[in-house]
Each structure stands twice: as structure tokens, then as C-alpha cells.
Amino acid sequence: MATQREKGILFKELHEKPGVFVIANAWDAGSARLLAGLGFPALATSSAASAGTLGRRDGQVTRAEALAQAAAIVMATDL
């Protein structure tokens, strides 16, 4: 498992490579695992997608809920 510093360096390098860098948006832990398994080198999150998993509209999720959702995504993979 890479350290947080190593992950930061790798993420920066993805932006510096020639060509297009495509990053996928995970909406929950399951989608994070799926996207990592498909070979995406990094993941982002989507507030609207995360809200949708809770049955809410974008902007209607509390800070605590958003942080819990982000934590679940982070813990689901090593990305």
C-alpha cells in the first residue's frame, strides 16, 4: 500500500503526462471498487451522484453525510 505522499506524487504525475487524463467519479464504495477494477488509476467523487445514493438532490446532503460517503470511497480501494 502506498503512503499518502506517494499517492499524491502519483496523482500529480497523472496530470503531467502527455495526452488526456480521464478520472472516474465514484458515488459509493461499491462503485469505487468497480472503477478501480476497471483500471482507473485515480478516482474522484461527485456530489450529485453521492446525493443520489442517499435519495437526495445535490446540495441536500449534510457535511457529515458527505464526509462519511467520501470515507467509504477512500477505504474501498488503495487509490
Side-chain angles (χ1 to χ4, degrees), residues 12-48:
K12 183 176 182 270
E13 289 172 354
L14 289 171
H15 288 82
E16 295 172 340
K17 290 181 179 180
V20 177
F21 166 46
V22 177
I23 189 166
N25 283 322
W27 55 91
D28 62 10
S31 65
R33 286 186 182 213
L34 176 77
L35 294 167
L38 290 172
F40 284 95
L43 297 175
T45 60
S46 163
S47 62

Side-chain angles (χ1 to χ4, degrees), residues 56-72:
R56 310 253 183 78
R57 291 183 184 195
D58 194 14
Q60 300 299 312
V61 176
T62 68
R63 183 175 190 268
E65 289 170 327
L67 289 173
Q69 193 84 330

